[in-house]
Every structure is written in C-alpha cells, then in structure tokens.
Amino acid sequence: MSPAPQRRRLANAVRALAMDAVQAAKSGHPGMPMGMADIAEVLWNDFLRHNPADPGFVDRDRFVLSNGHGSMLLYALLHLSGYGLALDQLRNFRQLHSQTPGHPEFGDTPGVETTTGPLGQGLANAVGMALGEKILAARFNLGGHRIVDHHTYVFVGDGCLMEGISHEACSLAGHMRLGKLIAFYDDNNISIDGEVRHWFSDDTAARFHAYGWHVADAVDGHDAGAVADAIKQARAEEDAPSLIVCKTVIGFGAPNKAGTESSHGSPLGAEEVALARKNLNWNEAPFVIPDEVYRAWDARERGARLQEEWRASFARFRAEFPGDAAEFERRAKGELPAGWSIAAEKFLARTVKQGETVASRQASQNALEAYAPQLPELLGGSADLTGSNLTKWSGSRPLSAQGGEGEGDGGANYIYYGVREFAMCAVMNGIALHGGFIPYGGTFLMFSEYARNALRMAALMGVRAVFVFTHDSIGLGEDGPTHQAVEQAATLRLMPNMSLWRPCDAVETAVAWRAAIERKNGPTSLLLSRQNLAHQQRDDAQAANIARGGYVLRDCDGAPEVILIATGSEVSLAVETAAGFTKKGRKVRVVSMPSADVFEAQDLNYRDAVLPPLVRNRIAVEAGVTGIWRKYVGLDGAVLGLDSFGASAPAADVFRHFGFTVDNLSAMVEAMLK
C-alpha cells in the first residue's frame, strides 16, 4: 500500500472531480462520492481486477454502484484509471448525449456494468453477477484450471438497504453462499430528508449476520488500512458473501456541509467548493489533475498484465479441454450453438403436426424440453411457482447452497428464487449482464407488478432475459381478482424495448420462445395461460408468419367486411365467431396478434396486407383493458375486453360473466354489419 498521505491525495482527486462536475452541471450528488472516495481508492488501486483498455475482459471483477446517484464517483474512477472516458465528458456531466448521465447507464459509458439509480437494484444485479460467476466457474473450472475466478464488488447506501429488494436479494445471496460477493455499505447516517436515525434504526450488521453473510462492522471508511484489512478478510470468506459496514462522512472535506443532507443532492456552491479545496489541501484548478496523480491511478499496465496472464491460463485450458474452451468462448460472446435454427424449425414443424390442445404454460414447458438441450446457457427459475409456471424441464438441475444435484459437476441450470419476484427479475438482469447465460424466470403475470421496476431496467439496458408470466388473465378463475391479470399485458406493451408475446396455442408458444431466445437487444415477456387452448389449423405460410407478430389466421374470399383481432386465449373465440358468419356468407377475417411490438416492426406493406387500412370495421378481443387496442381498431371499431377487475369463479363462468362468448362477440359483429 502507498503511504497514507499519498492515498488521501489520490482519493481527493476523486473528490475534486465530483465537486467540479456537479458544480458545472448545477445539479447532482457530490456528498456520496466525497464520502466514499477513500474506500474506492483502496478497492480500485489494490484489489480490483480490470483492464481499462478492454472493459469487456471476461474474467474481470465486476464493480457495481448501487447508490447510483453518486455517479460522479464512478465516472471519476473510470477516467482516472484509464478507461475511454475523456475529461471533457466529466465537464459535460448530466448534459445531453454525454457519456456521463446523471445515473450510470449500461452501454453509454465504458466500464459501467449496469444501469443504477433505482436504489437497491444494483445490489440485486450484483447478486446475479455473483451467481453467474459461481455457476460458470462450476461448469468450466476443470482439471484445476480457474478460467472463471473473479469477484463482484458493490457499493450501497442507506437507501439501498431500506428498499425491500435488498432484503429479497441479500437473503438469497446468503443462502446461496456467494463468497465472491462483497458489498460496501456507506454508513453515513444521512439521506435526502436528513439524519436517518429518525426513520432507519435497523441493526444492519445483525440483519446481515442473520442472512448468513460475513460482516465487518464499524470500519472507518476514511482509514485506508482499515478498509484494506476488511477487504482481505472478506476475500478470505469463501462460503459467505461479505458486507463491509463503512462509517463515513457524507461530503467529506466540505467544512460547512460535510455530514449534512445539504451535501447529498445539490452542488456545494462555489464558496463551499473553494473552502473544501483548501480543507483537502487540493490546490488545483477545476478539472485539473496533476500528472503524478494520473500516473498513480493509471491501471492500464496492470490490467493488460492481468488479462495477458488470463489468456495464457486459458490457452493451457484450451490445450487440455478444447471442446469446453470453444463452448466457453461461444457463451461468452452470446452466440447460439451451431444447429440451433435447424432444431428450432424441426420442433415447430412437429408442434404444427401434433396439433395439441394444451395450456400455453404447458406448451411453454414442451418448448423448453425441445430447446433447452440445445442451449446449455439457459438458466431457469421461478419465484416459488415452479409447478404452476412449468419452468422446469426434465434436464433441469437446481443450484443448491449445499452442493445439490448438478452443482458438483457444473450442471446446475435452475434457481429456486423463493417468493422474491422483484429480486428474481433484478438478479436475472445481473446474470444476463455478467454473460454466459440466457436467464429465464417465472411467476404469475399479476405479480409482475412486484417486479415492475426490474422489468423496466431490463428493457432500458436491453438485456437478454426471458420473463415467463403464467396465469395471464381472468382465466385464472377461482383465485379471483387479486390474482387475475387485467391491465398487466397492456402496461408491459407500453414499456419501450420490452417485447411481449401472448400466444394462442402450442404453435405460437414455440415461435414465441424461439423469438425470445434469439433476441439479443432486449428482454421478452411471455404471457401464458392456465387453461387449455385449442390448436389452430395453419398452412406453412401462416406458421411462418407467426414470427412476424401478427398474421391472418382465418380469411375470407375477397375483402373482409369485419376484421377480428385477438390474442392468447381469445383467439379461439374469434375463430369460432368468424366461422359462424362464414356459414352465413359474410366475410370476416381473423388476425392473431401474439406480439404487437414485433408486428409493428414489420414493413408497411405487410402490415397493410394483414390489416387493410380501408377496412374500418374492426373488433379487438382480449381479456384485459381495452384502451391499448384503439390504435388498431380506431374510433370506428370496438373492443371486447374489460375495464374492471375480475371475479372469483370457475374460469368458464368468469369469461361468460364478462361477455367473452360467441353470442356476445357475434352481436358486436352484427352491429357493424348493419
């Protein structure tokens, strides 16, 4: 370790950049970066394995800033250590199109591992990254080779630990004994409203002890030696994640605002910045870093050496295990196996031929049985609803903290998340960000509400994750309106970059799963039924067009007089209704639209062929809120849906009660034909 004065000077460079950037932006959060700078200096300069010249170095340590409002801490660290983040980007903190947005955003800034800001989610993402490391290491660290051997470090604040997701995620992490997860708690006793003692008096150390974590309590976060010792002890704990409780002063160095909420979320002000510079013995002009400080921070040479050592290690691994090495590289790149497309086509053809009438949740499990053997990177799970979501397949091997089936030989590919919907989805995001896996996880569609912000973060980051939501409508029946999804499909469709599929039968379910697996730039939600859904007859062209999100399932001779647009369990109702009018010589077209977002991505000619603009008589049919469908039926059209909550009764009775019958839909068609 460097002498204490030198370490403090390196930390003060972080403080100065944070003060200056927030002051220039006239907004931001200087307090946390100033308070955690000493901790970050020790971690980044003495422990963190990374290569600024290659932010994607596969065996790098992951660093997550869960208290993402303190983003200038991370930006300063990335700039000083040699990442491709120029000083001008720090000058443009929080400005349009800069690489330094107000909260760290994955994909915008080299070295940012995950988007953080909604408190607690970065912590849950870090749990996912640590899980990814553990499972990948069990699979590929063969014959004494350790090609997967890295830590996940995460900074958290009081707010992160007040959020409920921290309980869900940290309970799971403790149970799974994630020994390579190390969290640093910024215990500064301040949040936006002031001293947290007025509303947060938890014994945090005892809480984490109860989770099964190793805890280093009351570490002086401004003593580099104490921080380094705590990290060494945490790294020595192989069977438990670690929490290092760091006692810090928010806004450290600011003589009038340190230790108060006034340094939390506002610029210090020019006068206080000047006083802080004097107090910290930092005599440089704004945004000026001395050359010797840059040299001391520069991690490029050490990072290149670490990566070259790993490459040499991997070369030895490849010589002994060439097939496993190739598989590791494929999964690290996110590429699907050779032959995947052929296997998927064969399964679709078989599903079309079999023509089974099954619930789409069962069809989903059937798809997993076909696809998962081809995709060892599929990592499944459920939030305590495995038997209802049907997310396990015959080759599922659960991960267990006690070394359960599959873990010893690296075959674990399923996680029992427990009743932790929010954490499950945020952990899945972390697993996807870590790389090497395509995570999927299940719960009831209704309980997507618990996980809503993690779903939004998945879409915002564009992660490749599959959210399996079963019991997708009032068809749930007797469990009643508390469990019956009504508005959830619509709100998920409104979420930018969230692809949503609500298949009408086993064939559409097979296509939906394939689309989810092949989608690389965002998450997918699969909405699946509890009740059986009738198989729909199709020709080859129709089967191929399912992948386009919407297609003509039943047509008429000539231009249609009425178009019925339906999804999921309501498609069979539309088909049966249309058949009745066909017998009467009327022209009714049925369009199945399992994925509106995929349909909208098609070219205009195709969309107009499916939904001719001149045909204004349109009725959308879905057992959910109606407003979302007005864009397709227009003001002249109609929607058979429900803008109320459901009811507790057998599914058939509930559907009948809300008008999802052939008689009622036929009456709506008749009204249009008059």
Side-chain angles (χ1 to χ4, degrees), residues 164-235:
I165 191 173
S166 71
H167 165 74
E168 295 183 27
C170 294
S171 170
L172 181 66
H175 175 77
M176 290 298 181
R177 300 179 181 175
L178 300 181
K180 290 189 175 179
L181 173 64
I182 300 175
F184 298 80
Y185 169 31
D186 183 26
D187 187 13
N188 61 32
N189 296 309
I190 295 292
S191 64
I192 293 175
D193 281 349
E195 296 182 23
V196 299
R197 63 186 175 85
H198 298 295
W199 51 84
F200 184 55
S201 56
D202 295 11
D203 186 337
T204 300
R207 171 186 164 191
F208 276 78
H209 273 302
Y211 292 149
W213 287 52
H214 160 74
V215 179
D217 196 13
V219 175
D220 184 347
H222 302 298
D223 182 333
V227 172
D229 288 344
I231 295 173
K232 291 173 184 176
Q233 293 170 18
R235 286 167 59 93

Side-chain angles (χ1 to χ4, degrees), residues 448-464:
S448 67
E449 295 294 344
Y450 282 133
R452 176 70 54 170
N453 202 254
L455 302 176
R456 187 176 188 272
M457 296 295 280
L460 178 61
M461 291 189 283
V463 301
R464 190 187 208 172

Side-chain angles (χ1 to χ4, degrees), residues 27-222:
S27 72
H29 299 74
M32 186 279 271
M34 297 175 73
M36 297 195 79
D38 293 307
I39 306 166
E41 189 277 323
V42 173
L43 175 63
W44 278 63
N45 283 325
D46 290 0
F47 295 96
L48 194 71
R49 281 172 46 89
H50 64 123
N51 183 6
D54 183 6
F57 167 33
V58 69
D59 199 38
R60 70 193 180 279
D61 289 340
R62 272 61 169 178
F63 176 78
V64 175
L65 193 75
S66 188
N67 41 355
H69 55 272
S71 57
M72 264 311 304
L73 173 69
L74 180 53
Y75 300 148
L77 293 168
L78 294 171
H79 170 71
L80 292 168
S81 59
Y83 283 79
L85 189 63
L87 188 62
D88 281 348
Q89 294 295 333
L90 275 63
R91 294 180 188 273
N92 288 320
F93 178 52
R94 289 184 159 228
Q95 304 309 302
L96 188 64
H97 303 314
S98 78
Q99 290 180 292
T100 51
H103 292 83
E105 295 185 29
F106 174 73
D108 278 8
T109 315
V112 170
E113 300 282 2
T114 180
T115 300
T116 55
L119 294 177
Q121 283 202 66
L123 176 55
N125 295 162
V127 172
M129 293 173 186
L131 272 169
E133 192 276 344
K134 178 173 183 172
I135 301 171
L136 213 60
R139 165 63 181 87
F140 287 103
N141 287 352
L142 308 172
H145 298 276
R146 299 189 67 81
I147 63 167
V148 181
D149 188 12
H150 52 266
H151 286 78
T152 300
Y153 299 101
V154 55
F155 280 11
V156 303
D158 291 301
C160 292
L161 298 187
M162 287 186 232
E163 290 285 2
I165 191 173
S166 71
H167 165 74
E168 295 183 27
C170 294
S171 170
L172 181 66
H175 175 77
M176 290 298 181
R177 300 179 181 175
L178 300 181
K180 290 189 175 179
L181 173 64
I182 300 175
F184 298 80
Y185 169 31
D186 183 26
D187 187 13
N188 61 32
N189 296 309
I190 295 292
S191 64
I192 293 175
D193 281 349
E195 296 182 23
V196 299
R197 63 186 175 85
H198 298 295
W199 51 84
F200 184 55
S201 56
D202 295 11
D203 186 337
T204 300
R207 171 186 164 191
F208 276 78
H209 273 302
Y211 292 149
W213 287 52
H214 160 74
V215 179
D217 196 13
V219 175
D220 184 347
H222 302 298

Side-chain angles (χ1 to χ4, degrees), residues 614-646:
L614 295 179
V615 181
R616 305 285 293 271
N617 288 337
R618 302 180 182 184
I619 302 174
V621 188
E622 185 173 64
V625 294
T626 60
I628 195 76
W629 291 106
R630 284 293 166 188
K631 66 189 296 184
Y632 295 108
V633 303
L635 298 178
D636 298 331
V639 183
L640 174 54
L642 66 157
D643 291 311
S644 66
F645 297 113

Side-chain angles (χ1 to χ4, degrees), residues 382-396:
S382 173
D384 201 48
L385 288 168
T386 293
S388 294
N389 300 147
L390 302 183
T391 41
K392 279 184 72 174
W393 58 286
S394 60
S396 292

